[in-house]
C-alpha cells in the first residue's frame, strides 16, 4: 500500500498520515517546521547531556501564532524524548518600537507594526503552557537571563523582532556568566536574515556580527548540519537556522566521563545529534 500511496500522492503525504514524529519532523510537515527542528534539537541535546528539562523562548510574539505553535510542539517532543519544556515569549505587546536609523530597516518596518492586541486573551489561550514577558526586551531581558538555571538550560531561541535594536537586546539572553545555564550548543532561528534588504550592516545580521566580535567563546554560526539527510534538501528556513556554540561550557573543554566506545556504540549514543 505504501508504494502505491507514495506513487499516487507523494512521499510527504504518506509521512504526514502515517509517519512517526521524527519522520514528520524530518520531512518538514509539522506546523512551524523551523520551531519543531530547533526544539527537537534542544530536547535531544538536553537528553544527551543528562537533562530532563530545557528552556526555549521566542523574541517577538505579535498575536501569538509562533508561541502557540511552540506549546503544541512541546507536547509532541516531550512525548518523543521525555524532556520537558519551559517556554517564554517576549514582546512589547504594542508592536515594533520606533526604528532608530538604517540598522533597524525603516524601509521595511514602521513603529506599531504587529501589535499583540489582546494581551490577556493571548495569556488565556496559552493557559500556563508558556509565560509571556511583556515590555521592551531591553528592559526585561536581564531578569530572564539572570534567572536561567542549570536544571533547565536554554536550548532553543527564536528571534523574530525584525529590527537590529531588539535583536541586540534579545542576544543578551546569552550573557549569563555561568555557561552551565545553557546547553553546550543552543539552536537559534533568526527570522530576518535572508530577504533582499538584509545585510551584515543592518538588522539581525548586524547584531549577530557584533555579538560574535564581542564574545568569541560564544559564537553564533550557521547551523551546518542542515539539510543533512533530510527529505527536502532545500527548505527555505534552513538558511535561518543558527547555533550558538558555548565554547566556555565545561562539556566543550573536558571529555565526558565514560568508558571508551566503539564506533558503532558512538553512533548509537549520538544517534540524534
Ligand atoms: C514579526 S512580529 C513576531 C511574529 C511572531 N513571532 C509569529 O511568529 O507570529 C515581531 C514582533 O517583535 C516585537 N518586538 C520588536 N522589537 C521589540 C522589543 N525591543 N521589545 C519587545 N518586543 C519587540 C514586536 O512587538 C512584534 O510583535
Amino acid at each position: 500500500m505504501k508504494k502505491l500511496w507514495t506513487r499516487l500522492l507523494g512521499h510527504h503525504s504518506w509521512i504526514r498520515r502515517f509517519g512517526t514524529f521524527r519522520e514528520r519532523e524530518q520531512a518538514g510537515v509539522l506546523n512551524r517546521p523551523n520551531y519543531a527542528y530547533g526544539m527537537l534539537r534542544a530536547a535531544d541535546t538536553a537528553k544527551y547531556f543528562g537533562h530532563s528539562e530545557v528552556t526555549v523562548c521566542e523574541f517577538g510574539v505579535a498575536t501569538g501564532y509562533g508561541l502557540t505553535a511552540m506549546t503544541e510542539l512541546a507536547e509532541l517532543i516531550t512525548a518523543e524524548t521525555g524532556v520537558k519544556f519551559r517556554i517564554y515569549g517576549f514582546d512589547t505587546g504594542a508592536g515594533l518600537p520606533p526604528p532608530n536609523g538604517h540598522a533597524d530597516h525603516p524601509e521595511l518596518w514602521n513603529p506599531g507594526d504587529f501589535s499583540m492586541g489582546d494581551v490577556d486573551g493571548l495569556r488565556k489561550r496559552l493557559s500556563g503552557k508558556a509565560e509571556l514577558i511583556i515590555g521592551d526586551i531591553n528592559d526585561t531581558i536581564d531578569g530572564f537571563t539572570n534567572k536561567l538555571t542549570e536544571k533547565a538550560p536554554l536550548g532553543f531561541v527564536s528571534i523574530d523582532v525584525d529590527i537590529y535594536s531588539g535583536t541586540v537586546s534579545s542576544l543578551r539572553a546569552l550573557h549569563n556568566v555561568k555557561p552551565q545555564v545553557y546547553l553546550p550548543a543552543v539552536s537559534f532561528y533568526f527570522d530576518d536574515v535572508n530577504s533582499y534588504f538584509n545585510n551584515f550592516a543592518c538588522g539581525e545580521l548586524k547584531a549577530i556580527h557584533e555579538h560574535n566580535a564581542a564574545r568569541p567563546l560564544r559564537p553564533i554560526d550557521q547551523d551546518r548540519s542542515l539539510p543533512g539527510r533530510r527529505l527536502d534538501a532545500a527548505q527555505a528556513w534552513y538558511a535561518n537556522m543558527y547555533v550558538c556554540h558555548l565554547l566556555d561550557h565545561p562539556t566543550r573543554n573536558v571529555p565526558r566521563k565514560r568508558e571508551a566506545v566503539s564506533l558503532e556504540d558512538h553512533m548509537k549514543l549520538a544517534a540524534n545529534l
Side-chain angles (χ1 to χ4, degrees):
M1 159 154 145
K2 183 174 176 184
K3 246 189 192 163
L4 185 62
W5 184 299
T6 51
R7 189 155 357 118
L8 291 176
L9 300 169
H11 202 65
H12 282 86
S13 158
W14 174 269
I15 287 178
R16 200 174 273 118
R17 182 85 173 75
F18 301 109
T20 64
F21 174 76
R22 280 190 192 273
E23 283 169 339
R24 285 186 287 144
E25 190 284 311
Q26 285 264 328
V29 299
L30 293 164
N31 183 25
R32 298 260 175 168
N34 47 340
Y35 282 16
Y37 170 79
M39 290 175 71
L40 184 59
R41 273 282 189 221
D44 283 338
T45 309
K47 201 167 173 178
Y48 179 76
F49 287 102
H51 295 284
S52 55
E53 262 185 279
V54 73
T55 297
V56 298
C57 52
E58 185 188 56
F59 291 100
V61 174
T63 50
Y65 287 118
L67 197 60
T68 310
M70 268 187 166
T71 63
E72 291 162 2
L73 286 163
E75 284 175 21
L76 297 172
I77 297 171
T78 300
E80 170 68 24
T81 62
V83 175
K84 292 193 178 130
F85 288 86
R86 295 183 191 178
I87 307 173
Y88 297 87
F90 293 79
D91 205 287
T92 60
L96 294 182
N100 185 14
H102 64 266
D104 278 340
H105 285 298
E107 76 282 12
L108 296 175
W109 316 121
N110 268 43
D113 281 351
F114 317 121
S115 167
M116 186 173 283
D118 182 4
V119 177
D120 290 337
L122 177 56
R123 267 215 180 90
K124 217 176 258 172
R125 289 205 306 284
L126 292 167
S127 55
K129 293 177 185 167
E131 186 178 326
L132 261 187
I133 300 179
I134 298 294
D136 192 308
I137 297 163
N138 189 39
D139 303 323
T140 59
I141 188 63
D142 296 334
F144 168 80
T145 306
N146 294 336
K147 272 199 226 134
L148 285 168
T149 63
E150 288 183 48
K151 188 171 185 309
L154 187 66
F156 171 63
V157 176
S158 165
I159 298 204
D160 189 6
V161 290
D162 306 325
I163 59 180
Y164 164 73
S165 53
T167 309
V168 170
S169 304
S170 305
L171 291 179
R172 294 208 321 254
L174 293 168
H175 287 193
N176 192 305
V177 290
K178 232 180 172 185
Q180 293 91 335
V181 303
Y182 304 99
L183 290 180
V186 180
S187 176
F188 269 77
Y189 170 76
F190 286 92
D191 192 56
D192 289 283
V193 289
N194 51 18
S195 85
Y196 189 62
F197 281 94
N198 293 146
N199 63 84
F200 63 76
C202 294
E204 296 179 356
L205 287 172
K206 176 174 164 68
I208 295 171
H209 277 262
E210 288 175 357
H211 166 90
N212 285 346
R215 296 190 176 249
L217 288 182
R218 296 189 180 177
I220 298 172
D221 191 6
Q222 280 186 303
D223 185 331
R224 294 170 185 279
S225 70
L226 288 166
R229 275 184 254 133
R230 301 169 80 82
L231 267 185
D232 281 332
Q235 288 278 323
W237 60 266
Y238 296 164
N240 299 67
M241 300 308 302
Y242 286 68
V243 181
C244 177
H245 297 277
L246 276 287
L247 303 182
D248 56 342
H249 198 287
T251 59
R252 297 198 75 157
N253 288 277
V254 182
R256 297 207 301 165
K257 282 200 183 91
R258 60 160 173 75
E259 298 292 309
V261 292
S262 66
L263 204 51
E264 211 173 48
D265 286 344
H266 170 73
M267 301 300 267
K268 275 188 218 150
L269 199 66
N272 295 317
L273 293 183

